[in-house]
Amino acid sequence: MDDMPLPALFEQARKIHAAATDSGADQEVVKKGCEALHRCEDMVNNLGLFSPNETKEDISTTNLKYILVPFYLAELTEKIAQDDRIQILKSSQAKLKEFISFCEAMELVPKEELESYIDGAPKTVADQRARKIARFKRQRAAESKLLEIKERKERRGRSTKAAALSTPVEAGEEEVLDDDGEEEREAWITTISLAICKALDMLDMLKKEEEMLSAVKDRQSKDGDKEFSKDVLDERAKKAEAWHRDSAVRAQYTRPSPPITCATFAQDVLEGRAKASQEHDHKHQPLIFGPASLVNGNITTERERMAAQVFQPSHRMPTMSIEEAGLKEMEIMNKWQERNVKLMEEVNSSWHNDRKSKLGEDDDDEDDDAAQEKARAWDDWKDDNPRGAGNKKLTPCG
């Protein structure tokens, strides 16, 4: 690695990072990639490719890709298997923060992401969800843009190759290549934007993992430095597997509980008024579907009972037959008719008529008094206001 130039070293580290991210590489390969990225970082610092006074417009296209060195190093560092996991998480977080800070200085971080990064974790779940959705949309847009640039580049390469094969090249004629510098710059800036979204997500994930591991470590120290060894975890896993295996074997010979066919009792069980283990009486014979209903035979054996449950309806069964519903409705109508007969008898009774006549006489007396009072008031008003008294000023003689 000492003799390799910076572009070749970065390309080798980038291939190792892609292999480790896609399928998971061996620990030796991951450590080799970390070593190559550390070497790239030292060479970038020694060459002075970036300055804190520059922005993304001041950086040349060939040097843009070296901004990703801390991000690649953070992702590969996180994949290293080591006993002290907390130290690995801290190292990875330090590289991610370095990458985000440098992108912020280069004005590569979007305004929304910069504000959320400065504010810290959101206080409400709604804000956290909105932030994740916005970040996911930016990530998908960056991935789509990179795919579009890649397809455009492949199409241009195929067309150039076809044109070279169809057109003969004369002696001394130089091949004119398309200037794709702008496209390459756009691709690297989009890659950096995608890396920023991934770095922010990864930073949140590593913080949570560090908090969990620190809490476990503190609890273990309080309990007397009891560590969960691999043997203990394997023993617990074997016990759980044995329990599930025995349960599956027992289920083959255990008789299942009879199904609930009474709709009223099923509703009571669902609403918590009764338990499924309680006994209940059916007031109607449940309908039988399946083989038992075809032969019209009685269910005598366990095999026939299980066969009768095949093709059972998924909907709730009726609580009564049509005949029972008709009888119940007839009973309600009879009660209603009896009540109407009693009311008619009461209306036609002498007590009701006498009471109605007395109430009518009282009403007539009250009506007569009211009519007399109204007539008196009208007479008094006509005495005070003779006919034509108010129109004298409107007449010519007046």
Side-chain angles (χ1 to χ4, degrees), residues 240-251:
E241 291 176 0
W243 186 85
H244 287 291
R245 185 170 55 253
D246 295 341
S247 299
V249 173
R250 287 195 303 269

Side-chain angles (χ1 to χ4, degrees), residues 132-353:
K132 285 186 177 180
I133 291 174
R135 186 177 298 167
F136 178 74
K137 288 181 178 179
R138 282 192 291 271
Q139 185 173 346
R140 289 296 297 272
E143 291 175 353
S144 302
K145 192 173 183 179
L146 284 175
L147 184 61
E148 181 185 353
I149 292 173
K150 182 179 178 181
E151 291 176 354
R152 193 165 62 227
K153 201 170 183 179
E154 290 177 354
R155 286 197 303 268
R156 188 172 62 250
R158 288 195 299 267
S159 62
T160 304
K161 186 176 181 180
L165 292 175
S166 61
T167 305
V169 180
E170 298 179 359
E173 182 179 359
E174 296 180 357
E175 185 180 0
V176 180
L177 298 177
D178 294 333
D179 185 14
D180 57 350
E182 292 296 330
E183 188 177 67
E184 184 182 0
R185 186 178 186 84
E186 183 182 5
W188 282 118
I189 290 177
T190 308
T191 305
I192 294 171
S193 301
L194 179 61
I196 290 171
C197 296
K198 292 181 178 180
L200 292 170
D201 286 336
M202 187 177 178
L203 190 61
D204 295 338
M205 181 186 67
L206 295 181
K207 285 181 181 178
K208 293 178 181 178
E209 185 178 357
E210 184 183 0
E211 291 175 359
M212 292 171 59
L213 292 177
S214 300
V216 172
K217 189 174 182 180
D218 294 341
R219 191 180 68 177
Q220 290 177 0
S221 61
K222 290 179 182 178
D223 294 342
D225 296 333
K226 294 179 181 179
E227 296 182 357
F228 289 99
S229 61
K230 189 175 183 300
D231 297 335
V232 175
L233 296 176
D234 293 341
E235 185 179 357
R236 290 183 181 179
K238 289 179 181 178
K239 286 183 179 180
E241 291 176 0
W243 186 85
H244 287 291
R245 185 170 55 253
D246 295 341
S247 299
V249 173
R250 287 195 303 269
Q252 298 177 359
Y253 305 101
T254 304
R255 182 175 180 177
S257 59
I260 299 175
T261 56
C262 181
T264 306
F265 181 72
Q267 188 68 22
D268 294 339
V269 172
L270 292 175
E271 295 178 359
R273 292 189 295 270
K275 294 183 179 180
S277 60
Q278 295 178 357
E279 296 181 357
H280 60 283
D281 298 329
H282 298 290
K283 295 183 180 180
H284 68 284
Q285 184 68 24
L287 299 176
I288 298 177
F289 296 84
S293 63
L294 298 177
V295 298
N296 293 325
N298 296 326
I299 301 175
T300 57
T301 62
E302 181 69 18
R303 182 182 181 85
E304 292 179 355
R305 187 190 67 80
M306 294 179 67
Q309 295 178 1
V310 181
F311 304 119
Q312 293 294 316
S314 59
H315 56 273
R316 182 178 296 177
M317 299 298 295
T319 58
M320 62 179 68
S321 62
I322 299 177
E323 292 79 6
E324 290 176 348
L327 292 175
K328 195 170 186 64
E329 189 173 353
M330 286 294 296
E331 184 181 355
I332 294 173
M333 291 298 296
N334 290 333
K335 290 181 180 180
W336 183 72
Q337 288 181 357
E338 290 176 1
R339 182 171 174 271
N340 287 341
V341 169
K342 288 181 181 180
L343 291 175
M344 292 301 295
E345 290 177 356
E346 183 179 346
V347 167
N348 297 326
S349 62
S350 59
W351 172 81
H352 183 75
N353 293 330

Side-chain angles (χ1 to χ4, degrees), residues 71-84:
F71 172 71
Y72 291 159
L73 185 57
E75 285 200 330
L76 286 182
T77 303
E78 190 268 335
K79 297 181 183 300
I80 295 177
Q82 189 175 328
D83 295 337
D84 192 2

